Amino acid sequence: MITPAYARMMARYNQWQNTNLYDAADTLDENTRREETGVWFGSIFATFNHLIWADRYWMYRFTGSKKPAGGMAESRFVYDTWPDLRQARTELDHSILNWAETIDPAWLSGEISWFSGSKQAVITQPTAQAVTHFFNH
């Protein structure tokens, strides 16, 4: 079983790693960030967009915050510019840190359910497992 302290540690780690990834991507030119390379979401830029979309989706499931628009296919196109994408990541990481500070141990020991658009089914799993997946995505 994970604890709220684990979630807070992972939120800090998540922010640190995202900062490192975005700093590395800052060294690339725009064409390189957007180059279609054959990876799952196509490019670095599209993958970073997807990760923001996915993190927001998990936060929606965890907190009831605003549901991200679109589905998996649209997740590659959340932001059009690098500065907007980077700013969004910074803001989202701060939101995740704030959320982690509020986690109740009782919530972590329960279950979470949501409708999966990709599976067209209701998914239920232990909340602790979902939070662990969120930080490892």
Side-chain angles (χ1 to χ4, degrees):
M1 166 63 130
I2 66 170
T3 65
Y6 170 83
R8 289 190 299 273
M9 177 189 68
M10 291 303 292
R12 290 188 304 272
Y13 178 79
N14 178 65
Q15 180 186 43
W16 173 67
Q17 282 296 10
N18 284 330
T19 298
N20 288 336
L21 287 170
Y22 277 73
D23 285 350
D26 271 340
T27 68
L28 305 172
D29 63 60
E30 188 68 13
N31 289 335
T32 302
R33 282 194 295 265
R34 291 179 182 267
E35 180 181 352
E36 293 290 324
T37 60
V39 296
W40 187 261
F41 290 98
S43 68
I44 292 168
F45 192 84
T47 299
F48 283 9
N49 263 291
H50 167 76
L51 291 172
I52 286 175
W53 177 87
D55 284 357
R56 284 183 177 153
Y57 226 104
W58 279 107
M59 293 309 294
Y60 158 72
R61 292 170 181 158
F62 294 153
T63 70
S65 61
K66 183 179 176 185
K67 182 179 179 180
M72 190 76 69
E74 296 85 10
S75 72
R76 300 176 67 231
F77 308 107
V78 178
Y79 291 94
D80 295 326
T81 71
W82 180 249
D84 289 345
L85 182 65
R86 176 138 197 171
Q87 180 64 34
R89 179 77 261 172
T90 298
E91 291 171 3
L92 182 55
D93 286 345
H94 285 290
S95 294
I96 293 168
L97 285 165
N98 290 336
W99 162 75
E101 290 295 327
T102 69
I103 293 175
D104 181 342
W107 177 76
L108 276 176
S109 67
E111 289 187 331
I112 187 169
S113 296
W114 69 92
F115 180 79
S116 169
S118 62
K119 294 186 178 183
Q120 292 296 297
V122 173
I123 306 296
T124 300
Q125 71 180 155
T127 303
Q129 183 179 345
V131 171
T132 301
H133 170 77
F134 168 68
F135 284 120
N136 285 299
H137 177 254

